[in-house]
Amino acid sequence: MAEVHQFQTKVSKLLKLLANSLYSNKEVFLREIVSNASDAIDKLRFAAISKPELTADDPSFSIRIRADKDAGTLTISDNGIGMTLEQANEHLGTIAQSGTEDFLENLSADDAKNAQQIGQFGVGFYSSFIVADRVTVISRAAGTAENEAVKWESDGSGTYTSELTTRAGRGTDVILHLKADETSFLEPWTLRSTITKYSDHISTPVYLWETRQKGDEEKDTVSEWVQVNDAKALWTIAPKEVTEEQYKEFYKHLTHDWEDPLAWAHNRVEGDLDYISLLYCPSRAPMDLYNRDLQKGLKLFVQRVFIMDRAEEFLPNYLRFVKGLVDTNDLPLNVSRELLQESRVAAKLKRALTRRSLDMFAKLSEDKEKYAAFWTQFGRVLKEGVVEDPDSRDAILKLLRFATTKEGAASETVSLADYVARMPEGQKNIYYIIASSREAAEGSPYLEVLRRKGVEVILLWERIDEWMMGSLEEFEGKKFISATAADLDLEGVKSESKDEAEKPAEGSREDDDKAVARFKAALGDKVEDVRVSTRLVDSASCVVGAHDQMLTQQMRMMLQAAGQQIPEEKYTLEVNLESPLVKKALAESDPDRFAEWAGVILDQALLSEQGSLKDPAGFLKRLNALLLG
Ligand code: ADP
Ligand code: MG
């Protein structure tokens, strides 16, 4: 007797949606069902390594697809690993991960995309309900008896049934009872073209039951199994024989992504290390790129046999967005995740595949438009590599792109090589500024003298930047120097125009010293020191840290968020004696009023550096007092 089971609520919700509201790209159900058949065969191939008896009676693998117009059914059969009754209940009745929720949350107005994405969320099987109003699964697990097979069935409303049945051999039949208006999938031509598209790169033979004319009489026909793919693992084919279309379709099969990949690298290497790799860069970063639970890693094959999904040992963490596979003869067939972690071969492969990935990006960078898209999606995570992977640092530095102060280049980014190439004569260093936003970086008073001298400054405002710059010393012999550094080392730089040449100081040294002394006296222990600025042109003042190393606003926020005490910071105040505001302040002879001026000038500097003040009310009070004169 068949037992009736209730689907999990979230499965029911998903089924309702699939059955009623996906209108385009309906054919993806075939990709999903065929890909499950192919997975089942891969699993059995793997299991048979240690238990050859599992396949002894039926050693050749195949996927068979048969349409029955009279019955209105489409049946996809495989002789893979199969399922027991318990497994069918578990795998087809519940959803292990948060797949459905993720899928439902990700639904967009783009219907075509929705359908394409199904497989990504581990709910591919249910896509059969897009075209079927009843699905029957007959399955027998490899190594079980004939009468231990299972019949699972559902009409896609809230329940399914399952019961024991018999099946002649191991494997699974998925029988789709097509909806009345979806019978086009039974037409030979539609079926053949769809199947071909989705099975081209499957390394198991896929057969289609086809009927063809034999004699002159119309009913003089013959039916037979016709193989529709060449069943060769795509990555084992010489790269020059694989078409672009095939690479793209294979990528979609591998990742269930609905978009084309941005780039791929296919390498076959023999010798010291023996491997084939096919790596892909997606065109879009996954939403959970910064989430610990991100599913990352490559598919691992050993001697063409599928071993495991998401093997994480072959790429460093900062390349976690790279997809693809590696097939090697250098690992044993019984390799486990634990073994991989200690394997020297795996470590060597990791180095090799890291280089392959970085080469793939370097090649992509020849296409400006595509590389800009790549950079927007993955630039931030690539920066992690600068810190994480010192061995690859030089290669990564070449891939970095930066926004800079160069006029009219707001959307343009520059590589370090191009930055260095266009440095004005005499510039010895690479200058950068880190701020909390692009606007704050661009408007920073620290850039004034650099601007006047025509020195381009790299603008940085991402969380990762501070960390990255902390581990960067130089690029091609040029030092990285922060615009906030006490010594900017600009002596050699020729100014661009005459009137921008160094102006002789108006006042005397003695006047300067006096001015500085007045500020020091007025500000007392609010500052570490006061000095005359050489970096400011328009702004009245700025603050610099004691050791050039100031906490940036970001760092401060990170410390705060982590509940850490922010160290009491004292700055050196730099005043621009050419600034009208400072001149006006110095003209004030009353010490109390001058102290108010000095306070405002310090707060301005802090405000522009940090974006906020500890005592905004005090600042406003002082400012208002001065405004009211
Ligand atoms: P996924 O393939 O991402 O795991 P699916 O919804 O496509 O998600 O399939 C769910 C599960 O059902 C599979 O993981 C597998 O355990 C089982 N399954 C589906 N089709 C088959 C099949 N043809 N043979 C054996 N098991 C299958
Ligand atoms: Mg699947």
Side-chain angles (χ1 to χ4, degrees):
M1 248 286 283
E3 263 186 62
V4 182
H5 299 264
Q6 206 78 28
F7 279 119
Q8 288 166 289
T9 333
K10 54 186 182 180
V11 177
S12 302
K13 221 163 119 188
L14 174 73
L15 290 179
K16 213 179 257 164
L17 179 112
L18 291 176
N20 303 315
S21 42
L22 285 182
Y23 302 106
S24 28
N25 263 310
K26 291 184 169 187
E27 60 179 49
V28 296
F29 80 90
L30 257 177
R31 178 181 73 191
E32 296 305 329
I33 302 302
V34 170
S35 116
N36 282 350
S38 158
D39 289 350
I41 288 171
D42 281 347
K43 283 179 198 161
L44 180 56
R45 266 201 198 106
F46 179 63
I49 297 170
S50 51
K51 282 190 186 168
E53 66 274 15
L54 287 180
T55 55
D57 59 328
D58 179 10
S60 64
F61 297 101
S62 66
I63 297 169
R64 292 171 192 272
I65 299 163
R66 182 169 182 165
D68 182 336
K69 271 194 174 174
D70 298 332
T73 57
L74 184 63
T75 302
I76 297 98
S77 305
D78 66 72
N79 56 353
I81 195 142
M83 285 176 276
T84 62
L85 177 68
E86 290 72 32
Q87 286 168 337
N89 285 341
E90 187 186 332
H91 297 317
L92 307 180
T94 56
I95 295 178
Q97 309 135 349
S98 53
T100 331
E101 280 130 22
D102 289 352
F103 177 71
L104 293 172
E105 267 166 33
N106 260 288
L107 281 178
S108 65
D110 186 349
D111 194 46
K113 177 177 146 187
N114 292 341
Q116 285 280 354
Q117 279 186 320
I118 283 177
Q120 244 181 70
F121 297 94
V123 294
F125 171 75
Y126 299 109
S127 67
S128 41
F129 289 100
I130 299 175
V131 294
D133 46 24
R134 187 152 57 94
V135 177
T136 312
V137 178
I138 311 281
S139 189
R140 175 175 159 193
T144 61
E146 188 175 330
N147 60 358
E148 289 178 288
V150 54
K151 177 180 177 189
W152 179 102
E153 195 165 63
S154 174
D155 64 0
S157 58
T159 60
Y160 65 92
T161 60
S162 60
E163 62 189 308
L164 284 173
T165 186
T166 56
R167 191 184 191 273
R170 66 161 196 261
T172 304
D173 309 301
V174 177
I175 305 159
L176 308 175
H177 307 264
L178 297 184
K179 296 179 186 168
D181 50 355
E182 301 297 351
T183 49
S184 68
F185 289 107
L186 299 174
E187 297 298 333
W189 190 84
T190 315
L191 195 54
R192 191 173 229 280
S193 63
T194 320
I195 295 284
T196 309
K197 180 172 169 199
Y198 292 139
S199 58
D200 209 15
H201 39 70
I202 285 186
S203 44
T204 299
V206 176
Y207 295 94
L208 188 57
W209 184 252
E210 285 195 324
T211 304
R212 63 181 168 83
Q213 206 73 26
K214 195 176 138 207
D216 300 333
E217 296 259 334
E218 198 167 325
K219 30 183 202 165
D220 219 359
T221 57
V222 57
S223 294
E224 61 193 348
W225 287 112
V226 181
Q227 188 173 339
V228 292
N229 63 342
D230 64 7
K232 230 175 148 187
L234 181 110
W235 63 95
T236 62
I237 305 173
K240 61 176 187 307
E241 281 164 30
V242 184
T243 66
E244 200 159 299
E245 246 351 277
Q246 285 175 311
Y247 278 125
K248 289 180 182 170
E249 201 47 54
F250 185 69
Y251 166 77
K252 291 179 182 172
H253 159 73
L254 204 66
T255 62
H256 299 280
D257 195 351
W258 57 284
E259 283 182 303
D260 285 338
L262 203 53
W264 56 86
H266 184 190
N267 295 93
R268 305 205 296 172
V269 179
E270 277 165 35
D272 187 25
L273 205 55
D274 203 324
Y275 70 92
I276 303 176
S277 60
L278 177 51
L279 304 176
Y280 286 98
C281 177
S283 23
R284 206 179 290 270
M287 284 189 318
D288 49 0
L289 187 57
Y290 292 93
N291 189 326
R292 266 169 203 279
D293 305 332
L294 174 75
Q295 301 207 335
K296 57 193 173 198
L298 301 177
K299 248 185 166 54
L300 172 65
F301 292 79
V302 172
Q303 296 164 37
R304 314 292 174 268
V305 179
F306 171 73
I307 305 293
M308 66 177 81
D309 256 325
R310 301 190 285 275
E312 295 183 10
E313 304 302 322
F314 298 106
L315 286 174
N317 195 43
Y318 69 96
L319 295 177
R320 58 190 177 273
F321 59 90
V322 173
K323 308 270 185 196
L325 62 88
V326 55
D327 186 343
T328 178
N329 295 336
D330 292 338
L331 285 168
L333 276 163
N334 63 356
V335 69
S336 62
R337 282 187 200 275
E338 292 67 41
L339 266 164
L340 273 185
Q341 284 171 10
E342 278 136 40
S343 156
R344 286 186 44 223
V345 172
K348 271 191 186 171
L349 281 168
K350 183 178 186 171
R351 272 194 297 278
L353 298 180
T354 300
R355 211 187 58 235
R356 297 276 172 217
S357 306
L358 297 177
D359 284 352
M360 165 167 79
F361 308 145
K363 212 168 135 212
L364 185 67
S365 73
E366 289 163 18
D367 182 328
K368 259 202 143 172
E369 206 171 301
K370 278 192 181 166
Y371 198 72
F374 166 78
W375 184 254
T376 312
Q377 295 295 321
F378 303 110
R380 206 144 52 102
V381 54
L382 204 59
K383 285 176 177 177
E384 294 174 13
V386 172
V387 186
E388 202 183 308
D389 185 3
D391 291 342
S392 306
R393 188 169 291 163
D394 289 345
I396 299 172
L397 282 186
K398 289 192 183 123
L399 296 170
L400 300 183
R401 295 294 181 271
F402 298 98
T404 74
T405 49
K406 195 171 160 68
E407 295 288 326
S411 64
E412 290 260 307
T413 55
V414 68
S415 66
L416 289 172
D418 289 345
Y419 174 97
V420 168
R422 68 191 190 201
M423 288 189 337
E425 208 186 316
Q427 183 182 333
K428 297 196 287 282
N429 311 297
I430 298 172
Y431 294 94
Y432 69 91
I433 177 107
I434 306 180
S436 51
S437 68
R438 184 187 178 121
E439 292 69 33
E442 260 176 328
S444 168
Y446 298 92
L447 303 186
E448 290 175 3
V449 73
L450 291 154
R451 276 222 174 83
R452 195 182 65 191
K453 293 218 170 210
V455 171
E456 184 173 9
V457 181
I458 289 174
L459 304 171
L460 300 166
W461 62 88
E462 287 172 344
R463 257 168 175 247
I464 178 83
D465 289 327
E466 193 147 7
W467 196 41
M468 175 178 73
M469 294 315 290
S471 68
L472 279 183
E473 296 262 305
E474 52 170 59
F475 172 76
E476 290 179 357
K478 308 275 184 295
K479 277 212 188 84
F480 286 101
I481 294 206
S482 165
T484 60
D487 179 10
L488 290 175
D489 188 21
L490 283 169
E491 291 75 37
V493 186
K494 298 228 166 63
S495 288
E496 279 190 333
S497 65
K498 251 200 221 135
D499 75 34
E500 281 170 356
E502 236 84 339
K503 285 182 250 167
E506 270 174 40
S508 68
R509 269 304 293 271
E510 221 169 294
D511 288 346
D512 289 2
D513 291 348
K514 239 190 242 162
V516 165
R518 287 184 70 194
F519 274 101
K520 266 195 211 174
L523 294 170
D525 62 2
K526 283 190 193 146
V527 292
E528 181 78 37
D529 197 6
V530 177
R531 67 178 178 227
V532 177
S533 179
T534 53
R535 84 182 79 222
L536 299 177
V537 177
D538 300 317
S539 299
S541 59
C542 68
V543 284
V544 289
H547 307 287
D548 300 346
Q549 280 306 340
M550 279 195 293
L551 281 181
T552 60
Q553 180 60 10
Q554 283 168 305
M555 198 65 113
R556 230 172 267 125
M557 274 166 16
M558 271 155 74
L559 286 174
Q560 233 157 17
Q564 292 199 30
Q565 188 79 36
I566 296 171
E568 188 57 42
E569 295 167 274
K570 258 193 195 175
Y571 298 111
T572 292
L573 177 70
E574 287 194 3
V575 287
N576 173 9
L577 296 182
E578 306 305 318
S579 141
L581 192 73
V582 173
K583 284 186 173 161
K584 189 153 185 201
L586 287 166
E588 179 61 63
S589 54
D590 176 64
D592 288 344
R593 297 215 12 116
F594 177 75
E596 262 162 18
W597 276 108
V600 166
I601 286 168
L602 172 64
D603 281 351
Q604 280 190 351
L606 289 169
L607 189 59
S608 92
E609 215 289 305
Q610 306 177 348
S612 65
L613 288 173
K614 274 202 206 100
D615 176 21
F619 170 68
L620 291 175
K621 218 168 120 193
R622 279 193 289 278
L623 188 65
N624 289 343
L626 293 174
L627 287 172
L628 292 171

